[in-house]
Amino acid sequence: MTTIRTIPIRHPVFMEQCAHLLHGNQIRSRGFRYTRPAPMVYEYQWLWDSCFHAIVYRWFNPGMARDELLSVVEHQVTEGDDAGMIPHMAYWNGDGSDLWGQRRRSIITQPPLIAVAAWLVHQRHPDLDFLAALFPRLVQVHAWFNRRRDPDGDHLVTLIHPWESGWDAHPRWDAPMGLEHPTDEQSKAARHALVAQLRAQGCHAERLQAAGSFAVEALDFNAIRAADLEALADIADALGADGALWRAEAGAVQQAVQHKLLSTEVGADLSGPDETPLLGPSAAPFIALFGGCARPEQAAALVAQLTAAHFWTVYPVPTTPSDDPHFAEDRYWRGNVWPSVNWLIYRGLLRYGYAEEARHLANQTLQMVQQNGFHEYFNPLSGQGYGPAQQSWSTLALDMAESAPA
Ligand code: GLC
Protein backbone atom coordinates (compact mmCIF):
# COMPACT_ATOMS: atom_id res chain seq x y z
CA MET A 1 0.00 0.00 0.00
CA THR A 2 1.07 3.53 -0.70
CA THR A 3 1.58 5.45 2.52
CA ILE A 4 0.02 8.89 2.54
CA ARG A 5 1.53 11.78 4.43
CA THR A 6 -0.26 13.00 7.50
CA ILE A 7 -1.03 16.60 6.69
CA PRO A 8 -2.90 19.35 8.54
CA ILE A 9 -6.64 19.42 8.01
CA ARG A 10 -7.38 21.47 4.90
CA HIS A 11 -11.18 21.44 4.84
CA PRO A 12 -12.35 21.96 8.44
CA VAL A 13 -15.89 23.09 7.56
CA PHE A 14 -16.50 20.22 5.15
CA MET A 15 -15.04 17.86 7.73
CA GLU A 16 -17.60 19.10 10.27
CA GLN A 17 -20.39 18.42 7.77
CA CYS A 18 -19.08 14.93 7.06
CA ALA A 19 -18.75 14.15 10.75
CA HIS A 20 -22.30 15.39 11.35
CA LEU A 21 -23.68 13.27 8.51
CA LEU A 22 -21.90 10.10 9.53
CA HIS A 23 -22.82 10.58 13.16
CA GLY A 24 -26.48 10.91 12.18
CA ASN A 25 -26.29 7.64 10.26
CA GLN A 26 -24.80 5.64 13.13
CA ILE A 27 -26.62 2.69 14.64
CA ARG A 28 -25.91 0.87 17.89
CA SER A 29 -26.87 -2.76 18.11
CA ARG A 30 -25.97 -5.60 20.45
CA GLY A 31 -22.85 -3.84 21.79
CA PHE A 32 -21.57 -2.81 18.35
CA ARG A 33 -21.72 0.38 16.29
CA TYR A 34 -21.94 0.77 12.53
CA THR A 35 -22.96 3.44 10.05
CA ARG A 36 -25.91 2.99 7.72
CA PRO A 37 -25.14 3.77 4.07
CA ALA A 38 -28.18 6.07 4.19
CA PRO A 39 -31.15 6.47 6.52
CA MET A 40 -34.44 4.91 5.39
CA VAL A 41 -33.13 3.54 2.08
CA TYR A 42 -30.16 1.54 3.39
CA GLU A 43 -30.72 0.69 7.05
CA TYR A 44 -28.59 -2.46 7.23
CA GLN A 45 -24.81 -2.75 7.23
CA TRP A 46 -23.02 -3.17 3.91
CA LEU A 47 -19.48 -4.50 3.72
CA TRP A 48 -17.66 -2.15 1.36
CA ASP A 49 -19.63 0.86 2.57
CA SER A 50 -18.38 0.22 6.10
CA CYS A 51 -14.80 0.03 4.85
CA PHE A 52 -15.24 3.41 3.15
CA HIS A 53 -16.83 4.86 6.28
CA ALA A 54 -13.84 3.74 8.38
CA ILE A 55 -11.48 5.35 5.87
CA VAL A 56 -13.30 8.68 6.32
CA TYR A 57 -13.65 8.37 10.10
CA ARG A 58 -9.87 8.07 10.43
CA TRP A 59 -9.66 11.84 9.86
CA PHE A 60 -11.73 12.80 12.89
CA ASN A 61 -12.99 9.78 14.85
CA PRO A 62 -10.51 6.88 15.01
CA GLY A 63 -12.56 5.09 17.67
CA MET A 64 -15.54 4.91 15.34
CA ALA A 65 -13.27 3.93 12.41
CA ARG A 66 -12.15 0.91 14.42
CA ASP A 67 -15.66 0.08 15.64
CA GLU A 68 -17.00 0.22 12.09
CA LEU A 69 -14.52 -2.46 10.96
CA LEU A 70 -14.92 -4.57 14.08
CA SER A 71 -18.68 -4.60 13.51
CA VAL A 72 -18.39 -5.53 9.84
CA VAL A 73 -16.40 -8.68 10.64
CA GLU A 74 -18.85 -9.67 13.36
CA HIS A 75 -21.10 -11.47 10.87
CA GLN A 76 -18.31 -13.48 9.32
CA VAL A 77 -19.62 -16.96 8.58
CA THR A 78 -18.30 -19.45 11.15
CA GLU A 79 -19.59 -22.78 9.89
CA GLY A 80 -20.55 -24.66 6.76
CA ASP A 81 -19.14 -24.43 3.24
CA ASP A 82 -18.84 -20.67 3.36
CA ALA A 83 -17.02 -20.43 6.69
CA GLY A 84 -14.74 -17.39 6.47
CA MET A 85 -16.92 -15.33 4.14
CA ILE A 86 -17.89 -11.84 5.23
CA PRO A 87 -21.43 -11.24 4.02
CA HIS A 88 -22.14 -8.19 1.91
CA MET A 89 -25.09 -7.32 4.16
CA ALA A 90 -25.57 -7.74 7.89
CA TYR A 91 -29.07 -7.47 9.32
CA TRP A 92 -28.25 -6.67 12.93
CA ASN A 93 -31.84 -7.08 14.08
CA GLY A 94 -32.77 -9.87 11.70
CA ASP A 95 -35.24 -10.09 8.77
CA GLY A 96 -32.94 -11.25 6.00
CA SER A 97 -34.79 -14.60 6.01
CA ASP A 98 -37.18 -14.14 3.10
CA LEU A 99 -34.51 -13.20 0.61
CA TRP A 100 -31.49 -15.14 1.88
CA GLY A 101 -32.82 -17.90 4.11
CA GLN A 102 -30.67 -16.37 6.86
CA ARG A 103 -31.99 -14.01 9.51
CA ARG A 104 -28.91 -11.91 10.04
CA ARG A 105 -26.87 -11.93 6.87
CA SER A 106 -26.77 -12.25 3.12
CA ILE A 107 -25.16 -15.29 1.46
CA ILE A 108 -22.82 -13.38 -0.89
CA THR A 109 -19.92 -11.00 -0.35
CA GLN A 110 -18.68 -7.59 -1.62
CA PRO A 111 -15.27 -6.14 -2.58
CA PRO A 112 -12.72 -7.03 0.12
CA LEU A 113 -11.34 -3.79 1.46
CA ILE A 114 -11.25 -4.46 5.19
CA ALA A 115 -7.48 -4.93 5.42
CA VAL A 116 -6.94 -1.84 3.26
CA ALA A 117 -9.21 0.21 5.50
CA ALA A 118 -7.71 -1.19 8.71
CA TRP A 119 -4.21 -0.40 7.53
CA LEU A 120 -5.15 3.17 6.57
CA VAL A 121 -6.77 3.69 9.97
CA HIS A 122 -3.74 2.23 11.74
CA GLN A 123 -1.30 4.39 9.79
CA ARG A 124 -2.99 7.53 11.05
CA HIS A 125 -3.77 6.24 14.55
CA PRO A 126 -1.53 3.27 15.35
CA ASP A 127 -3.28 0.58 17.37
CA LEU A 128 -1.81 -2.91 17.30
CA ASP A 129 -4.57 -4.38 19.48
CA PHE A 130 -7.09 -3.36 16.85
CA LEU A 131 -5.03 -4.98 14.08
CA ALA A 132 -4.58 -8.11 16.18
CA ALA A 133 -8.34 -8.39 16.67
CA LEU A 134 -8.97 -8.22 12.93
CA PHE A 135 -6.03 -10.22 11.65
CA PRO A 136 -7.33 -13.81 12.04
CA ARG A 137 -10.67 -12.78 10.54
CA LEU A 138 -8.95 -11.31 7.50
CA VAL A 139 -6.80 -14.39 7.03
CA GLN A 140 -10.00 -16.47 7.01
CA VAL A 141 -11.67 -14.25 4.42
CA HIS A 142 -8.86 -14.70 1.93
CA ALA A 143 -8.64 -18.43 2.60
CA TRP A 144 -12.37 -18.60 1.87
CA PHE A 145 -11.85 -16.86 -1.49
CA ASN A 146 -9.20 -19.42 -2.44
CA ARG A 147 -11.25 -22.37 -1.27
CA ARG A 148 -14.68 -21.44 -2.61
CA ARG A 149 -14.30 -18.91 -5.36
CA ASP A 150 -11.36 -19.93 -7.47
CA PRO A 151 -12.49 -23.24 -8.99
CA ASP A 152 -9.98 -23.06 -11.87
CA GLY A 153 -7.10 -22.14 -9.54
CA ASP A 154 -5.97 -19.16 -11.62
CA HIS A 155 -5.83 -16.71 -8.66
CA LEU A 156 -8.86 -14.81 -9.96
CA VAL A 157 -11.96 -15.15 -7.83
CA THR A 158 -15.36 -15.68 -9.39
CA LEU A 159 -18.35 -13.53 -8.51
CA ILE A 160 -21.67 -15.33 -8.42
CA HIS A 161 -23.96 -12.30 -8.27
CA PRO A 162 -23.63 -8.71 -9.61
CA TRP A 163 -24.31 -7.43 -6.09
CA GLU A 164 -20.93 -8.86 -5.11
CA SER A 165 -19.18 -6.34 -7.37
CA GLY A 166 -20.97 -3.42 -5.73
CA TRP A 167 -21.89 -2.25 -9.28
CA ASP A 168 -25.37 -3.74 -9.08
CA ALA A 169 -26.89 -2.84 -12.44
CA HIS A 170 -23.93 -1.96 -14.65
CA PRO A 171 -24.33 -2.82 -18.37
CA ARG A 172 -21.30 -5.14 -18.16
CA TRP A 173 -23.54 -7.55 -16.21
CA ASP A 174 -26.37 -7.58 -18.79
CA ALA A 175 -24.95 -10.41 -20.91
CA PRO A 176 -23.92 -12.73 -18.04
CA MET A 177 -27.38 -12.11 -16.53
CA GLY A 178 -28.95 -13.15 -19.83
CA LEU A 179 -30.39 -9.66 -20.36
CA GLU A 180 -30.43 -7.45 -23.43
CA HIS A 181 -31.22 -3.76 -23.03
CA PRO A 182 -33.14 -4.38 -19.80
CA THR A 183 -35.29 -1.79 -18.11
CA ASP A 184 -34.26 -0.98 -14.53
CA GLU A 185 -37.17 -3.09 -13.29
CA GLN A 186 -36.16 -6.11 -15.40
CA SER A 187 -32.60 -5.86 -14.23
CA LYS A 188 -33.66 -5.65 -10.58
CA ALA A 189 -36.07 -8.58 -10.96
CA ALA A 190 -33.25 -10.66 -12.48
CA ARG A 191 -30.97 -9.92 -9.51
CA HIS A 192 -33.63 -11.05 -7.09
CA ALA A 193 -34.37 -14.18 -9.13
CA LEU A 194 -30.68 -15.04 -9.13
CA VAL A 195 -30.69 -15.26 -5.34
CA ALA A 196 -33.12 -18.19 -5.58
CA GLN A 197 -30.67 -19.89 -7.97
CA LEU A 198 -27.78 -19.31 -5.55
CA ARG A 199 -29.77 -20.84 -2.72
CA ALA A 200 -30.70 -23.84 -4.87
CA GLN A 201 -27.03 -24.44 -5.77
CA GLY A 202 -25.67 -23.77 -2.26
CA CYS A 203 -23.61 -20.82 -3.61
CA HIS A 204 -21.24 -23.35 -5.15
CA ALA A 205 -19.27 -21.41 -7.78
CA GLU A 206 -18.42 -24.42 -9.92
CA ARG A 207 -21.97 -25.78 -9.97
CA LEU A 208 -23.31 -22.32 -10.77
CA GLN A 209 -20.86 -21.97 -13.67
CA ALA A 210 -21.84 -25.38 -14.99
CA ALA A 211 -25.51 -24.39 -14.81
CA GLY A 212 -24.80 -21.28 -16.90
CA SER A 213 -25.55 -18.97 -14.00
CA PHE A 214 -23.75 -15.65 -13.46
CA ALA A 215 -20.08 -16.52 -12.89
CA VAL A 216 -17.63 -13.72 -13.61
CA GLU A 217 -13.98 -13.12 -12.82
CA ALA A 218 -14.24 -9.37 -12.45
CA LEU A 219 -11.20 -7.22 -13.05
CA ASP A 220 -11.94 -4.57 -10.44
CA PHE A 221 -12.89 -7.01 -7.70
CA ASN A 222 -9.70 -9.00 -8.17
CA ALA A 223 -7.56 -5.86 -8.24
CA ILE A 224 -9.16 -4.75 -4.99
CA ARG A 225 -8.41 -8.16 -3.56
CA ALA A 226 -4.73 -7.78 -4.53
CA ALA A 227 -4.57 -4.50 -2.58
CA ASP A 228 -6.29 -6.13 0.37
CA LEU A 229 -3.74 -8.98 0.40
CA GLU A 230 -0.93 -6.43 0.34
CA ALA A 231 -2.49 -4.64 3.29
CA LEU A 232 -2.86 -8.00 5.04
CA ALA A 233 0.87 -8.53 4.56
CA ASP A 234 1.56 -5.10 6.08
CA ILE A 235 -0.68 -5.94 9.02
CA ALA A 236 1.08 -9.29 9.52
CA ASP A 237 4.47 -7.57 9.53
CA ALA A 238 3.27 -4.93 11.99
CA LEU A 239 2.11 -7.71 14.30
CA GLY A 240 5.49 -9.43 14.13
CA ALA A 241 4.17 -12.26 11.94
CA ASP A 242 5.59 -12.95 8.51
CA GLY A 243 3.84 -11.00 5.78
CA ALA A 244 5.68 -12.82 2.99
CA LEU A 245 2.90 -15.36 2.44
CA TRP A 246 0.28 -12.65 1.83
CA ARG A 247 2.65 -10.59 -0.26
CA ALA A 248 3.24 -13.63 -2.49
CA GLU A 249 -0.51 -14.16 -2.78
CA ALA A 250 -0.99 -10.52 -3.68
CA GLY A 251 1.70 -10.90 -6.33
CA ALA A 252 -0.03 -13.94 -7.82
CA VAL A 253 -3.32 -12.06 -8.06
CA GLN A 254 -1.58 -9.03 -9.58
CA GLN A 255 0.07 -11.22 -12.20
CA ALA A 256 -3.21 -12.94 -13.00
CA VAL A 257 -5.05 -9.64 -13.42
CA GLN A 258 -2.23 -8.30 -15.54
CA HIS A 259 -1.99 -11.31 -17.82
CA LYS A 260 -5.55 -12.48 -18.13
CA LEU A 261 -7.73 -9.46 -17.62
CA LEU A 262 -5.59 -6.62 -18.89
CA SER A 263 -4.50 -8.49 -21.97
CA THR A 264 -7.17 -6.88 -24.14
CA GLU A 265 -6.70 -3.24 -25.00
CA VAL A 266 -9.52 -2.01 -22.80
CA GLY A 267 -9.37 -4.72 -20.18
CA ALA A 268 -12.28 -7.06 -19.70
CA ASP A 269 -13.93 -9.28 -17.14
CA LEU A 270 -13.94 -13.01 -17.86
CA SER A 271 -17.16 -14.94 -17.83
CA GLY A 272 -17.99 -18.61 -17.34
CA PRO A 273 -15.84 -21.75 -17.30
CA ASP A 274 -14.20 -20.94 -20.64
CA GLU A 275 -13.32 -17.43 -19.44
CA THR A 276 -14.96 -15.56 -22.28
CA PRO A 277 -13.97 -11.87 -22.20
CA LEU A 278 -16.94 -9.64 -21.49
CA LEU A 279 -16.89 -6.81 -23.93
CA GLY A 280 -18.13 -3.31 -23.45
CA PRO A 281 -16.10 -0.45 -22.03
CA SER A 282 -16.38 0.52 -18.40
CA ALA A 283 -14.38 2.28 -15.72
CA ALA A 284 -13.54 -1.07 -14.06
CA PRO A 285 -10.10 -1.46 -15.71
CA PHE A 286 -8.90 1.76 -14.08
CA ILE A 287 -9.24 -0.01 -10.74
CA ALA A 288 -6.36 -2.26 -11.83
CA LEU A 289 -4.16 0.66 -10.75
CA PHE A 290 -5.51 0.48 -7.21
CA GLY A 291 -4.36 -3.12 -6.96
CA GLY A 292 -0.95 -2.50 -8.51
CA CYS A 293 -1.90 -4.87 -11.33
CA ALA A 294 -0.64 -2.85 -14.30
CA ARG A 295 2.85 -2.61 -15.75
CA PRO A 296 3.98 1.02 -16.15
CA GLU A 297 3.15 1.07 -19.86
CA GLN A 298 -0.28 -0.46 -19.19
CA ALA A 299 -0.83 2.17 -16.52
CA ALA A 300 0.07 4.91 -18.98
CA ALA A 301 -2.42 3.48 -21.50
CA LEU A 302 -5.13 3.28 -18.84
CA VAL A 303 -4.52 6.87 -17.75
CA ALA A 304 -4.66 8.02 -21.37
CA GLN A 305 -8.10 6.36 -21.66
CA LEU A 306 -9.22 7.73 -18.32
CA THR A 307 -8.38 11.30 -19.25
CA ALA A 308 -10.04 11.12 -22.70
CA ALA A 309 -13.23 13.18 -22.97
CA HIS A 310 -15.71 10.28 -22.60
CA PHE A 311 -14.39 9.40 -19.13
CA TRP A 312 -12.88 12.75 -18.05
CA THR A 313 -16.29 14.43 -18.02
CA VAL A 314 -17.02 17.63 -16.09
CA TYR A 315 -17.38 15.42 -13.02
CA PRO A 316 -15.35 12.29 -13.66
CA VAL A 317 -15.53 9.24 -13.67
CA PRO A 318 -18.74 7.82 -15.20
CA THR A 319 -18.77 4.03 -14.83
CA THR A 320 -19.68 3.81 -18.53
CA PRO A 321 -18.00 6.16 -21.02
CA SER A 322 -20.27 8.96 -22.20
CA ASP A 323 -20.05 7.96 -25.88
CA ASP A 324 -21.09 4.34 -25.30
CA PRO A 325 -24.57 3.29 -26.50
CA HIS A 326 -25.29 1.94 -23.00
CA PHE A 327 -24.37 5.22 -21.32
CA ALA A 328 -27.26 6.70 -19.32
CA GLU A 329 -26.20 9.46 -16.97
CA ASP A 330 -29.35 9.25 -14.86
CA ARG A 331 -29.94 5.49 -14.70
CA TYR A 332 -28.72 3.56 -11.68
CA TRP A 333 -25.16 2.31 -12.32
CA ARG A 334 -25.42 2.76 -16.10
CA GLY A 335 -23.28 5.86 -16.54
CA ASN A 336 -23.13 7.82 -13.29
CA VAL A 337 -20.33 8.87 -11.01
CA TRP A 338 -19.99 6.87 -7.80
CA PRO A 339 -17.87 8.12 -4.88
CA SER A 340 -16.73 4.56 -4.14
CA VAL A 341 -15.41 4.05 -7.67
CA ASN A 342 -13.82 7.50 -7.76
CA TRP A 343 -11.97 6.79 -4.52
CA LEU A 344 -10.51 3.55 -5.90
CA ILE A 345 -9.41 5.22 -9.12
CA TYR A 346 -7.97 8.15 -7.18
CA ARG A 347 -5.85 5.89 -5.00
CA GLY A 348 -4.67 4.02 -8.08
CA LEU A 349 -3.56 7.26 -9.72
CA LEU A 350 -1.61 8.17 -6.60
CA ARG A 351 -0.03 4.76 -6.47
CA TYR A 352 1.31 5.06 -10.01
CA GLY A 353 2.49 8.65 -9.57
CA TYR A 354 -0.21 10.43 -11.57
CA ALA A 355 -0.42 13.29 -9.07
CA GLU A 356 -1.98 15.89 -11.33
CA GLU A 357 -4.78 13.57 -12.46
CA ALA A 358 -5.35 12.46 -8.86
CA ARG A 359 -5.58 16.07 -7.71
CA HIS A 360 -8.08 16.90 -10.46
CA LEU A 361 -10.24 13.91 -9.59
CA ALA A 362 -10.17 14.82 -5.88
CA ASN A 363 -11.07 18.46 -6.61
CA GLN A 364 -13.96 17.62 -8.94
CA THR A 365 -15.34 15.02 -6.53
CA LEU A 366 -15.20 17.52 -3.69
CA GLN A 367 -16.96 20.20 -5.76
CA MET A 368 -19.56 17.73 -6.94
CA VAL A 369 -20.51 16.80 -3.39
CA GLN A 370 -20.24 20.32 -1.96
CA GLN A 371 -22.43 21.81 -4.67
CA ASN A 372 -25.01 19.05 -5.01
CA GLY A 373 -25.22 17.37 -1.62
CA PHE A 374 -24.19 14.06 -0.08
CA HIS A 375 -25.93 11.90 -2.66
CA GLU A 376 -25.46 8.26 -3.47
CA TYR A 377 -24.36 8.85 -7.10
CA PHE A 378 -24.12 11.75 -9.52
CA ASN A 379 -24.58 12.94 -13.07
CA PRO A 380 -21.14 13.16 -14.75
CA LEU A 381 -22.19 16.08 -16.94
CA SER A 382 -24.21 18.32 -14.60
CA GLY A 383 -23.18 17.04 -11.17
CA GLN A 384 -26.82 16.49 -10.18
CA GLY A 385 -27.12 14.02 -7.32
CA TYR A 386 -29.31 10.92 -7.34
CA GLY A 387 -30.48 8.50 -4.68
CA PRO A 388 -30.49 9.38 -0.97
CA ALA A 389 -29.19 12.84 -0.02
CA GLN A 390 -27.53 11.62 3.17
CA GLN A 391 -25.43 8.87 1.71
CA SER A 392 -22.49 8.13 3.98
CA TRP A 393 -19.97 7.28 1.27
CA SER A 394 -20.17 10.72 -0.34
CA THR A 395 -17.91 11.75 2.55
CA LEU A 396 -15.13 9.94 0.67
CA ALA A 397 -14.72 13.32 -1.04
CA LEU A 398 -13.18 14.45 2.24
CA ASP A 399 -10.64 11.64 2.28
CA MET A 400 -9.68 12.41 -1.32
CA ALA A 401 -9.42 16.16 -0.74
CA GLU A 402 -7.43 15.77 2.48
CA SER A 403 -4.95 13.28 1.05
CA ALA A 404 -4.56 14.90 -2.40
CA PRO A 405 -1.07 15.94 -3.46
CA ALA A 406 -0.47 19.64 -2.88
C1 GLC B 1 -26.29 -0.19 -3.60
C2 GLC B 1 -24.91 -0.14 -4.28
C3 GLC B 1 -23.89 -0.93 -3.49
C4 GLC B 1 -23.85 -0.41 -2.06
C5 GLC B 1 -25.26 -0.41 -1.43
C6 GLC B 1 -25.30 0.33 -0.09
O1 GLC B 1 -26.76 -1.50 -3.58
O2 GLC B 1 -25.00 -0.61 -5.59
O3 GLC B 1 -22.62 -0.84 -4.07
O4 GLC B 1 -23.00 -1.17 -1.28
O5 GLC B 1 -26.16 0.26 -2.27
O6 GLC B 1 -24.84 1.65 -0.23
Side-chain angles (χ1 to χ4, degrees), residues 81-218:
D81 290 338
D82 277 319
M85 184 186 80
I86 309 250
H88 96 298
M89 286 176 71
Y91 298 72
W92 280 85
N93 297 316
D95 92 2
S97 311
D98 282 356
L99 183 56
W100 305 106
Q102 294 283 340
R103 254 173 59 67
R104 293 202 193 274
R105 64 169 178 86
S106 66
I107 57 174
I108 56 172
T109 194
Q110 245 186 352
L113 272 166
I114 306 176
V116 168
W119 188 243
L120 287 172
V121 171
H122 173 77
Q123 279 180 305
R124 219 177 139 75
H125 300 278
D127 185 337
L128 289 174
D129 291 342
F130 160 67
L131 293 185
L134 283 178
F135 183 63
R137 310 286 199 113
L138 302 178
V139 169
Q140 286 162 19
V141 179
H142 286 286
W144 168 80
F145 276 123
N146 291 338
R147 195 181 74 244
R148 284 279 281 177
R149 291 303 186 84
D150 187 14
D152 59 358
D154 66 352
H155 302 288
L156 297 174
V157 302
T158 298
L159 306 188
I160 59 172
H161 196 293
W163 280 334
E164 294 199 307
S165 71
W167 297 35
D168 302 11
H170 192 270
R172 67 183 160 136
W173 308 139
D174 290 354
M177 289 294 279
L179 299 168
E180 214 177 311
H181 302 296
T183 62
D184 292 345
E185 290 68 31
Q186 286 166 335
S187 158
K188 188 173 176 184
R191 290 194 294 280
H192 281 262
L194 178 54
V195 175
Q197 167 87 338
L198 300 187
R199 288 174 63 175
Q201 302 285 353
C203 292
H204 193 283
E206 213 166 357
R207 282 209 292 268
L208 286 159
Q209 282 193 358
S213 182
F214 183 96
V216 177
E217 293 175 351

Side-chain angles (χ1 to χ4, degrees), residues 37 42 46 48-49 110 166 168 332-333 338 376 391 393:
Y42 300 113
W46 269 261
W48 78 332
D49 296 71
Q110 245 186 352
D168 302 11
Y332 188 64
W333 275 113
W338 290 74
E376 182 184 11
Q391 184 83 16
W393 72 16

